[in-house]
Amino acid sequence: MSTNSVVAYLRTDGSIVSSYVHYDGYETGVGMTLLEHFNDDKSALGVSVGGYYSSLSEDLDASLRDSVHNEEPEMFDSMEEFEMYLMENSHLEYGYLWTGGKWMVATWSHETIGYGHDARYESTWNGFAWLVPAFVRSGRKVIDRFRDMALEDNRDGRNEYDEYADELEVVVDKWHRYGMGEIATEAMAA
């Protein structure tokens, strides 16, 4: 199963260029890759003009070369047009936008009302928020899930889930410190 996302760049004229990423669109997938490897203006623009990625890795050329499709990037004249595109395309679960020198993430909340054949689904657009806190929150949940899986699967001591949790925790802690530093800097400037 895929988690679809869009990676976009807001230009100074207000237009937006975006690329589609088919797999791992969640914050600890594409979001982490953006923070770790495409977190400056030039790299953010570069990843946003690729057009189509099956998956996104730190190597942009390999990501493009390994993609199953070769599509042009989507262009939007305004933020309003881009947001409407995100809201109207139900297959998209995450939208990432480089603006103001940082990555933002847009998400939707989904609610199932009723049961079985009578169930209906409502989706609520949450808009954009800074990616760093969203990544930290999501990352902590994934770490906890990996730790729980490690306990369930713990036959001979540590296992791959412990290793995944340890690796992710290093990255999450780094971005947590960064985010707290940014918040403190903004508060002191106010």
Side-chain angles (χ1 to χ4, degrees), residues 158-170:
R158 291 182 55 80
N159 62 33
E160 64 206 24
Y161 297 119
D162 287 312
E163 292 172 17
Y164 296 151
D166 291 346
E167 291 170 12
L168 181 57
E169 193 164 34
V170 168

Side-chain angles (χ1 to χ4, degrees), residues 72-146:
E72 294 296 316
E74 295 277 342
M75 305 296 285
F76 303 92
D77 291 330
S78 67
M79 184 68 159
E80 293 79 21
E81 185 181 335
F82 178 60
E83 286 180 336
M84 190 59 66
Y85 169 80
L86 292 175
M87 287 185 267
E88 290 177 349
N89 285 278
S90 61
H91 70 285
L92 297 174
E93 296 178 67
Y94 293 91
Y96 297 96
L97 178 68
W98 179 265
T99 180
K102 60 186 172 184
W103 284 108
M104 307 295 281
V105 60
T107 59
W108 300 256
S109 299
H110 305 286
E111 181 180 5
T112 305
I113 300 168
Y115 300 97
H117 295 298
D118 295 327
R120 62 181 164 76
Y121 306 94
E122 291 188 6
S123 181
T124 303
W125 167 253
N126 296 327
F128 284 95
W130 188 27
L131 175 57
V132 170
F135 166 71
V136 170
R137 278 190 305 274
S138 177
R140 295 271 183 237
K141 289 178 185 175
V142 172
I143 291 166
D144 289 345
R145 191 167 64 241
F146 282 158

Side-chain angles (χ1 to χ4, degrees), residues 1-8 18-31 34 51-56 68-69 71 82 85-97 104-108 110 125 128:
M1 186 172 177
S2 61
T3 304
N4 309 147
S5 63
V6 170
V7 176
S18 74
S19 295
Y20 173 78
V21 184
H22 191 68
Y23 291 107
D24 302 328
Y26 41 86
E27 289 104 338
T28 56
V30 168
L34 294 172
Y52 180 98
Y53 304 98
S54 292
S55 63
L56 186 62
V68 296
H69 298 288
E71 296 175 12
F82 178 60
Y85 169 80
L86 292 175
M87 287 185 267
E88 290 177 349
N89 285 278
S90 61
H91 70 285
L92 297 174
E93 296 178 67
Y94 293 91
Y96 297 96
L97 178 68
M104 307 295 281
V105 60
T107 59
W108 300 256
H110 305 286
W125 167 253
F128 284 95

